[in-house]
Amino acid sequence: MQINVKIKRYNPEKDSRPYWSEHKVEARATDRILDVMNKIKWEQDGSFTYRRSCAHGICGSDAVLLNGVNRLACSVLVQDLGENITIEPIRGLEVIRDLVVDMDPFFDSFKAILPYFINDSIEPSLERLQTIEERDRYDDATKCILCACCTTSCPIFWTNGQYLGPAAIVNAHRFIFDSRDEGAAERLNVLNQSNGLWRCRTAYNCTEACPRDIPITKLIEEVKRELLWRRA
Ligand code: SF4
Ligand code: F3S
Ligand code: FES
């Protein structure tokens, strides 16, 4: 089938403003959008710029706006979108070129919540044991691939780029509810700042955008409750 693809392009070094490039592409219904993007780059315009790596929904590098919705280009098929497809960079982060955005603010927020195991007590001679229930407590949050689909679909983040955002909160949840970790108070303190947890207005865009089906809004509410419970 022939499909019509419109791509939002922008090279700050030579373009005064973003523009749309239009492409007709021969594709199969089962081709991934990443295949279509590769075809355009390899056969029509080598200057078209985007990130990709694993092509299997694991690395999180090819988050884009497909027909207005944040998705991973490698996880959506042509048949999911139809004959007319628009591709844009994810919103709220500065465009470096075409679909490549500056991810530094996103990863700065991730780093701010101390996304690593903290435990200064004496190490056990073997492993730090955990029950199945204790492990289940934060299982959803372990599935995050840091693609930024959630944070860049959040209306609060669009208006306030300083908001830590749902991805950072999900990754805080990952450690706050880990029974082996001792850094919860420190992380909750970071999340309790003016651009932290309380900026969330339960818009749910993040939950709908997550390619890993993480119930993000629910996790955010759990962190809010934990903070209130500890302050009570
Ligand atoms: Fe991506 Fe989901 Fe992680 Fe957000 S929570 S960064 S949408 S995988
Ligand atoms: Fe934003 Fe998700 Fe909250 S979209 S407002 S972080 S529920
Ligand atoms: Fe790795 Fe799509 S290229 S998630």
Side-chain angles (χ1 to χ4, degrees):
M1 65 193 276
Q2 188 176 69
I3 58 173
N4 306 305
V5 184
K6 278 176 67 178
I7 306 172
K8 196 174 239 183
R9 308 286 298 274
Y10 182 49
N11 178 352
E13 286 177 9
K14 66 180 186 64
D15 302 324
S16 55
R17 62 173 69 92
Y19 66 97
W20 292 96
S21 67
E22 300 193 15
H23 309 266
K24 293 197 181 301
V25 183
E26 277 302 321
R28 286 170 300 199
T30 52
D31 282 345
R32 298 164 302 182
I33 302 305
L34 182 59
D35 299 323
V36 172
M37 287 160 55
N38 287 338
K39 211 163 179 192
I40 291 169
K41 182 170 180 69
W42 297 337
E43 297 174 9
Q44 297 187 20
D45 182 353
S47 71
F48 174 34
T49 307
Y50 50 96
R51 289 194 180 102
R52 76 285 194 195
S53 180
C54 71
H56 289 286
I58 299 299
C59 73
S61 63
D62 62 341
V64 287
L65 210 58
L66 293 178
N67 287 7
V69 179
N70 277 9
R71 315 282 294 271
L72 298 176
C74 65
S75 301
V76 178
L77 304 181
V78 168
Q79 66 191 17
D80 299 330
L81 300 181
E83 288 169 18
N84 298 308
I85 297 171
T86 60
I87 312 176
E88 301 166 69
I90 47 178
R91 295 186 179 133
L93 295 167
E94 192 184 340
V95 174
I96 295 174
R97 182 161 167 169
D98 294 342
L99 305 180
V100 175
V101 296
D102 180 4
M103 295 289 283
D104 282 355
F106 175 79
F107 285 113
D108 286 346
S109 295
F110 171 64
K111 286 183 222 157
I113 56 83
L114 315 173
Y116 41 79
F117 186 61
I118 298 173
N119 188 323
D120 294 329
S121 56
I122 299 165
E123 288 184 27
S125 54
L126 291 171
E127 40 191 320
R128 296 180 196 273
L129 294 177
Q130 208 164 39
T131 65
I132 291 172
E133 291 74 25
E134 286 170 337
R135 175 61 181 76
D136 278 351
R137 184 70 189 84
Y138 60 92
D139 188 63
D140 283 329
T142 64
K143 296 173 185 157
C144 177
I145 55 172
L146 292 171
C147 66
C149 278
C150 55
T151 297
T152 60
S153 68
C154 173
I156 307 298
F157 181 73
W158 295 338
T159 54
N160 173 9
Q162 303 300 309
Y163 170 42
L164 287 175
I169 302 170
V170 164
N171 283 280
H173 183 292
R174 154 69 187 85
F175 292 98
I176 288 168
F177 294 103
D178 185 332
S179 57
R180 304 162 300 178
D181 186 273
E182 295 177 345
E186 216 176 330
R187 289 188 195 92
L188 288 168
N189 195 34
V190 173
L191 292 171
N192 201 26
Q193 307 301 312
S194 59
N195 287 315
L197 197 56
W198 306 110
R199 291 273 167 192
C200 171
R201 295 287 186 270
T202 54
Y204 271 93
N205 290 19
C206 53
T207 301
E208 285 166 12
C210 181
R212 305 287 291 173
D213 291 330
I214 299 171
I216 301 174
T217 312
K218 173 173 166 273
L219 301 195
I220 293 173
E221 291 305 306
E222 287 177 5
V223 178
K224 283 180 181 172
R225 276 202 297 275
E226 182 70 14
L227 188 52
L228 289 173
W229 180 79
R230 288 187 182 228
R231 302 279 147 141

